[in-house]
Amino acid sequence: MEIAENAALVVVDVQVGFEDEAFWGPRNNPEADGNIAGLIDTWQESGRPVVFVRHDSDKPDSPLRPGNAGNGLKPYVEERRGRGSG
């Protein structure tokens, strides 16, 4: 597959709070985190930019609200933020 040299990868809402089964229910995508990590690694190795986006919920009971630990990016994403060109 050909990917343009100026293409960017956008990683959206890979946050700790999505692990909260009591709030969201059980996950149906157990391989997603491994796939996301691999995609970020491959993309960064290509020298293309990676953009990380986080949702800040305005709902007081949301695990994704600012100030809550669940608002943070998952550790494997946070580790990759400073690497590569993104």
Side-chain angles (χ1 to χ4, degrees):
M1 179 164 94
E2 294 226 10
I3 300 173
E5 286 299 317
N6 65 348
L9 174 67
V10 180
V11 180
V12 179
D13 298 349
V14 185
Q15 292 166 260
V16 174
F18 284 113
E19 296 297 326
D20 186 343
E21 262 191 48
F23 190 84
W24 304 105
R27 289 182 62 173
N28 64 355
N29 57 355
E31 296 178 14
D33 289 314
N35 291 336
I36 293 166
L39 184 57
I40 294 169
D41 290 343
T42 300
W43 204 268
Q44 287 178 326
E45 288 167 11
S46 80
R48 292 176 178 91
V50 180
V51 178
F52 299 92
V53 178
R54 180 186 68 205
H55 177 72
D56 288 339
S57 178
D58 60 2
K59 308 234 182 304
D61 62 336
S62 173
L64 305 178
R65 70 187 178 279
N68 186 44
N71 181 261
L73 296 172
K74 290 186 178 185
Y76 74 90
V77 173
E78 196 62 54
E79 290 169 8
R80 288 164 170 81
R81 284 185 60 206
R83 295 193 313 199
S85 61

